[in-house]
Amino acid sequence: MTVSKIFFYDTKPYDQQAFDEANSNFGFDIKYCPAHLNANTASLSAGYPVICAFVNDTVDSETIRILKECHVTLIALRSAGYNNVDLKAAYGNIHVVRVPAYSPHAVAEHAAALILTLNRKTHKAYYRTRDGNFSINGFMGFDMYQKTIGIVGTGKIGRCLIDIALGFGMNVLAYDKFPDLDYAKEKNIQYVALSELYQRSDVISLHCPLSKETHHLINAESIRQMKKGVILINTSRGKIIETGSLIQGLKDKQIGAAGLDVYEEESEYFFEDLSSEMISDDVLARLLTFPNVLITSHQGFFTKEAISNIATTTLTNIKEFFDGGFLKNEICYQCDSTCLKKEGKRCF
Ligand code: NAD
């Protein structure tokens, strides 16, 4: 029997460890590669019918064209988000699967960690006490209890954070393109218009996908509507925030603090150790100067449970593909309208 081959882009040692463990139940022939997938590296996939890509790989039409030339027939994303894939270019040529849910708790708990850290300044306290400085000047926070959190996007992750916020005794305002009123009733939370959410929230956390509609959703105008001193959290996708406006909002003290697990131009920086290099991105460098900005390097997903689920689901998606059956985690640009998935078939 021939062993099915998979080419993995953008892999780190922790990916390899998790996938090797999961692969003991599948037996695929996996080639791990540290390079990002883009038009320059796509031809490395020659001889592999399946490639596996991650959040900062560039799967645009040119990359897809080369993958097709290399006879790749499946792109297996080991992520939930798929904004980096040109689904239209892939349609009819290469199937695309993803991991729709692996641990919404992981990301929501990370968002909660960013909120608490920024509120109580534990990121600053850590360094102060280690330096023998036991002063608490400048560390005053506020009770989360009875404050208002605005959640943009009440899908899997947004809902986990809502549960956490309710545990703190917070009031929850929510906005979603497709509000679920039964859910709101059950949780005793309120869906409101975005402008109202901006105006009333002490903390705002973004949990909608990146799309044409949400690109730069947070901009000068939306920031202007927010409560002065709001804590803004983004664990979703960097391009949802227009970073220049965020910086202006921080300088004006309109934004009290920002917790960012994602950044517009993260792909060159995040996941890499660049501690011996200078940062040539002036916007990122400016963000890093604010004491009230906490940047983490897209690590929201990074828990033992999530990584293990990602590995198992990705390999299951690939097995379903090789077995020739229905691909339950397939996505295509027609999924919202005419795609064959509704009939229990592959998207095309
Ligand atoms: P989900 O699909 O379960 O929920 C997304 C929600 O956003 C849905 O309720 C949807 O109706 C809503 N939505 C869609 N368009 C919207 C719009 N224009 N305005 C407001 N709401 C809109 O997704 P999820 O699993 O909760 O993940 C949310 C996002 O988190 C992902 O798209 C991804 O970008 C990001 N994510 C980040 C990490 C990380 O490590 N930081 C990990 C996983 C996911």
Side-chain angles (χ1 to χ4, degrees):
M1 194 186 97
T2 50
V3 180
S4 308
K5 293 169 78 175
I6 315 168
F7 192 91
F8 270 60
Y9 283 95
D10 193 14
T11 46
K12 296 278 185 278
Y14 45 81
D15 294 311
Q16 183 161 349
Q17 190 184 346
F19 274 92
D20 280 348
E21 255 169 49
N23 195 32
S24 60
N25 296 319
F26 293 87
F28 291 122
D29 176 358
I30 296 179
K31 170 82 176 166
Y32 296 104
C33 169
H36 279 283
L37 170 60
N38 53 42
N40 296 324
T41 59
S43 59
L44 294 172
S45 65
Y48 293 84
V50 174
I51 62 110
C52 182
F54 197 43
V55 289
N56 286 329
D57 290 322
T58 307
V59 200
D60 56 12
S61 58
E62 179 58 6
T63 305
I64 287 169
R65 188 187 64 75
I66 301 167
L67 291 175
K68 195 181 161 213
E69 265 177 22
C70 293
H71 306 294
V72 170
T73 44
L74 179 72
I75 297 169
L77 298 172
R78 52 183 195 279
S79 60
Y82 49 87
N83 51 281
N84 54 334
V85 183
D86 185 335
L87 289 179
K88 200 167 180 181
Y91 189 77
N93 293 310
I94 303 182
H95 293 274
V96 181
V97 288
R98 66 173 179 140
V99 183
Y102 39 86
S103 172
H105 302 282
V107 186
E109 288 169 15
H110 190 70
L114 293 175
I115 298 168
L116 289 177
T117 306
L118 288 165
N119 178 15
R120 306 304 296 270
K121 286 93 176 163
T122 44
H123 57 311
K124 308 290 289 175
Y126 172 78
Y127 285 109
R128 239 187 232 186
T129 52
R130 281 172 74 90
D131 197 31
N133 179 353
F134 299 98
S135 157
I136 59 170
N137 280 335
F139 285 172
M140 191 185 291
F142 58 80
D143 285 11
M144 304 284 282
Y145 179 67
Q146 291 198 338
K147 293 296 182 303
T148 298
I149 187 167
I151 305 282
V152 180
T154 55
K156 292 176 284 298
I157 297 171
R159 288 178 192 212
C160 285
L161 186 60
I162 287 173
D163 284 342
I164 293 170
L166 291 173
F168 280 126
M170 299 184 83
N171 306 314
V172 176
L173 297 178
Y175 172 79
D176 198 290
K177 191 177 171 188
F178 307 103
D180 180 345
L181 298 178
D182 291 337
Y183 165 76
K185 198 167 168 198
E186 181 201 324
K187 293 286 172 180
N188 199 19
I189 63 157
Q190 207 187 343
Y191 278 105
V192 293
L194 259 185
S195 54
E196 185 174 346
L197 182 147
Y198 294 147
Q199 283 158 27
R200 290 178 52 198
S201 300
D202 302 290
V203 178
I204 296 175
S205 197
L206 305 173
H207 300 289
C208 53
L210 174 64
S211 65
K212 276 195 190 119
E213 284 167 294
T214 61
H215 182 265
H216 288 179
L217 181 73
I218 305 300
N219 54 41
E221 175 51 25
S222 45
I223 290 172
R224 194 188 56 72
Q225 296 174 53
M226 291 176 193
K227 246 190 188 181
K228 196 166 177 74
V230 64
I231 295 181
L232 179 64
I233 303 294
N234 188 7
T235 58
S236 198
R237 284 292 181 268
K239 288 188 196 305
I240 295 175
I241 297 183
E242 201 272 294
T243 317
S245 300
L246 171 67
I247 290 175
Q248 194 55 52
L250 286 158
K251 285 165 76 176
D252 297 343
K253 302 194 176 162
Q254 173 70 2
I255 293 182
L260 309 174
D261 190 44
V262 287
Y263 163 61
E264 281 203 80
E265 304 299 333
E266 69 180 46
S267 62
E268 263 189 58
Y269 290 91
F270 283 20
F271 305 121
E272 307 302 331
D273 178 0
L274 301 170
S275 51
S276 316
E277 319 262 327
M278 60 101 186
I279 296 176
S280 55
D281 179 334
D282 289 347
V283 177
L284 177 60
R286 180 67 178 102
L287 275 178
L288 290 167
T289 65
F290 290 96
N292 51 346
V293 171
L294 179 51
I295 298 182
T296 54
S297 195
H298 207 138
Q299 68 176 75
F301 72 100
F302 201 42
T303 65
K304 213 166 21 167
E305 293 78 4
I307 292 291
S308 163
N309 289 339
I310 287 172
T312 302
T313 305
T314 302
L315 296 183
T316 304
N317 288 342
I318 294 170
K319 182 174 184 313
E320 283 175 358
F321 178 75
F322 282 124
D323 288 349
F326 175 63
L327 298 173
K328 67 175 175 302
N329 293 325
E330 184 171 18
I331 35 164
C332 79
Y333 91 111
Q334 300 280 37
C335 275
D336 288 337
S337 51
T338 57
C339 153
L340 294 174
K341 199 170 167 189
K342 291 186 184 66
E343 297 169 27
K345 299 180 183 155
R346 291 185 175 189
C347 288
F348 58 85

